Each structure stands twice: as C-alpha cells, then as structure tokens.
Amino acid sequence: MEKISACIVAYNEEKVIERCLASVKNFVDEIIFVHDGECSDNTIEIAKKYTDKIFIQPHIGIAEPHRSFSYRQCQNNWIIQLDADEYLGEEDTKKIGPLLETSTVDGYWLKWEMWDGEKAVYIEGFKKLVLFKKDKISNLGIPQVAVTVHGKTEDVDILLRHRPLYNNISWKNFLRKMNYWLEANVQYYFPELVEYDCFNTTIDSWIQYTKKVRKYTLFFLLWYPIKNFLGQLKNGLWKSRIGINLALQQYVYYFSLYKKIWHMERKLKSR
C-alpha cells in the first residue's frame, strides 16, 4: 500500500488547526508541520498532539515560500497539502487510499468550497490541486503560484472543506487580505529583494519571467488580469453570482499586483 505525507503550513492558527490535523491523522503516515515564524498562541502545542515533525521557519507572512521546505521533509512520495483552515470530511478521507494505488495518475484536483461566515458555498468549477506525487512535481515557492505536476492529473469527487473564521467571499475581507498578500507577493518579482526556495526545479525560468514583467508591466497590467478573469469564468464560475464575484476578485488582485510592481520598479530605478 502506498504511503502518504500531509504537509501543513500555519501561522498562529490555534482556533482552526486541530480540525485540520484531526481530519488527516487516520489516513496519512506522517504529518509535516511548518510554522511561519515564532508562534504566539497554542498552535504548536496543538500540533504536538498529532506529530513530532514540527519545524519553525523564518516568518514570511504567506505559505507558498515554505512549501518546498515541507516537501523535502516528506518520507513518502504521495503528499496531501492543506492550509490550516482546510479539512476533509470523514467520508471523503476514505476515498484517498484507493487514489494512491492508481499508478497512471500523478495528481488530483479536489473540489474546493468557500465560506460565507455562516454556511459553506460550493461553486462548480472551483477546485484545488492538493494531492500529488513528490517525484512528479516542481515548486517555485512563489506566492499565488501553485505547484506544477509533470504528469497526468484528474478531478475527483472529494470536497476540500475551507472554513476560516470569517466570510472569505465578502469584498471587505477580500480587500483586507489582498493588501496583506500584495506586500509579500510583489517582492518575488524583484530577485534582488528575496531568496527563493525551489523544489525539483531552478528559479531561472521565473527570473526570466520577472524581467519581462518589469520591462512590460503596463502590458501585463492590462492583459493578465482579464486573461485570468476569463479563465476563471471558463472553468465554470460564470454559472453563479458568487462565482462571478470570485472571478472579479481575482481580477482586482492581479490588477493591483501589477500596478504595485510598476510602482516598485519606478521606485528602485529612482534610487
């Protein structure tokens, strides 16, 4: 039987982390737990009840740059990656094992729900790649850039429950989070400002991409947000008002990101 590791990155998530850890404990063979900087609540104490593979990394403020480190700690080839405010229902955990025995598939997309503060909302077409083979992936460790599976992937009827302590559909909370994410995200377009941590790849292609973005920022500002928006609609988000709302939020995020890159480039050139 194939073995599997769970990789979880968290930062002061004592109110939700136990739900996440408890949902994976019965079907994974190890849990790799990475904390983003020093912990100021009971998150790590809770994690110790489920694993002794706990790592405290320098604080970055966003999960993606820690992913590559977590993958390197895994003893098993199959990995399931969850955020602290995500978890699996008991019935869905029973579906994981048979998926690992399929040698022709290298990664699985799970249905991904949202939370409006009172109830779960699932939108057709909303999914997340969180189950994959370690030897078939590469990861750049860039905020908002997902892991890449070099092989076959499939959608599966498993719901990844995503339930933070707030309404993660509302514009108010989106804008609050966006401003926080942008500060971390924009730096990764300026290699002189950050250190990259890649897995099964090099950073060379990303460096070349950042040069293009910095040289033609206005083009990316106008083109990429609308490309992403239309892609989200094509995936099925056009079928509901909430889906269109989420696609619009992605448009605003990437428009704001490239605008911030443009300002940062001008600031660095003026020094």
Side-chain angles (χ1 to χ4, degrees):
M1 179 177 291
E2 291 281 350
K3 292 187 175 182
I4 181 172
S5 302
C7 288
I8 299 167
V9 178
Y11 177 67
N12 292 344
E13 298 278 7
E14 64 177 4
K15 294 182 179 179
V16 295
I17 192 60
E18 187 145 24
R19 181 182 62 188
C20 173
L21 292 164
S23 77
V24 301
K25 69 174 183 178
N26 291 327
F27 74 89
V28 301
D29 299 281
E30 67 172 355
I31 297 175
I32 306 300
F33 188 87
V34 178
H35 198 273
D36 177 30
E38 294 297 321
C39 184
S40 60
D41 66 5
N42 291 318
T43 299
I44 290 179
E45 292 305 310
I46 295 170
K48 287 178 180 177
K49 293 161 43 177
Y50 296 88
T51 181
D52 59 359
K53 297 181 179 181
I54 297 173
F55 305 89
I56 301 175
Q57 293 293 97
H59 181 65
I60 297 175
I62 201 162
E64 287 91 343
H66 295 298
R67 302 290 192 200
S68 295
F69 174 85
S70 70
Y71 302 154
R72 287 195 292 272
Q73 313 313 310
C74 294
Q75 298 298 309
N76 306 307
N77 195 36
W78 276 102
I79 294 173
I80 185 165
Q81 171 184 291
L82 275 73
D83 291 337
D85 58 4
E86 297 172 339
Y87 68 101
L88 294 168
E90 184 176 353
E91 289 304 311
D92 280 332
T93 63
K94 299 174 183 176
K95 301 176 184 178
I96 300 291
L99 297 177
L100 310 185
E101 303 302 321
T102 305
S103 60
T104 59
V105 180
D106 303 302
Y108 293 99
W109 295 84
L110 276 61
K111 295 179 178 178
W112 195 36
E113 71 175 18
M114 303 299 283
W115 181 251
D116 72 358
E118 297 181 353
K119 65 181 183 300
V121 178
Y122 173 68
I123 303 143
E124 185 178 348
F126 220 49
K127 58 186 180 180
K128 193 172 183 181
L129 181 64
V130 297
L131 181 60
F132 39 75
K133 293 176 180 176
K134 184 171 68 170
D135 64 358
K136 293 291 186 177
I137 63 167
S138 61
N139 183 58
L140 292 170
I142 308 295
Q144 305 300 320
V145 177
V147 65
T148 299
V149 173
H150 302 280
K152 182 181 179 181
T153 64
E154 287 186 356
D155 296 353
V156 290
D157 187 22
I158 297 176
L159 183 63
L160 180 60
R161 302 174 188 274
H162 180 209
R163 303 188 183 183
L165 299 175
Y166 54 85
N167 181 339
N168 68 345
I169 299 175
S170 75
W171 277 92
K172 178 181 178 181
N173 285 323
F174 164 74
L175 293 172
R176 174 181 59 82
K177 292 191 299 178
M178 182 187 77
N179 291 328
Y180 178 79
W181 289 335
L182 285 175
E183 291 301 320
N185 201 167
V186 70
Q187 296 184 58
Y188 285 81
Y189 289 80
F190 297 85
E192 63 268 38
L193 300 180
V194 296
E195 293 184 7
Y196 299 97
D197 186 5
C198 302
F199 182 80
N200 283 351
T201 189
T202 68
I203 201 62
D204 296 348
S205 61
W206 178 257
I207 297 298
Q208 293 304 312
Y209 176 69
T210 64
K211 289 179 180 179
K212 291 180 181 179
V213 171
R214 292 169 67 173
K215 185 176 182 179
Y216 305 108
T217 310
L218 292 179
F219 169 76
F220 281 91
L221 177 69
L222 297 173
W223 170 74
Y224 187 84
I226 192 66
K227 173 179 178 287
N228 182 271
F229 172 72
L230 294 175
Q232 296 283 356
L233 294 182
K234 183 180 179 181
N235 285 341
L237 298 193
W238 65 271
K239 296 179 180 180
S240 70
R241 179 183 59 82
I242 294 176
I244 294 172
N245 178 71
L246 292 173
L248 282 171
Q249 289 178 354
Q250 289 292 300
Y251 175 87
V252 170
Y253 182 86
Y254 283 105
F255 184 89
S256 301
L257 173 62
Y258 288 109
K259 181 180 178 182
K260 202 168 186 67
I261 292 169
W262 183 70
H263 284 296
M264 178 77 80
E265 180 70 9
R266 294 184 67 193
K267 181 178 178 181
L268 291 174
K269 284 183 176 179
S270 67
R271 288 181 179 177

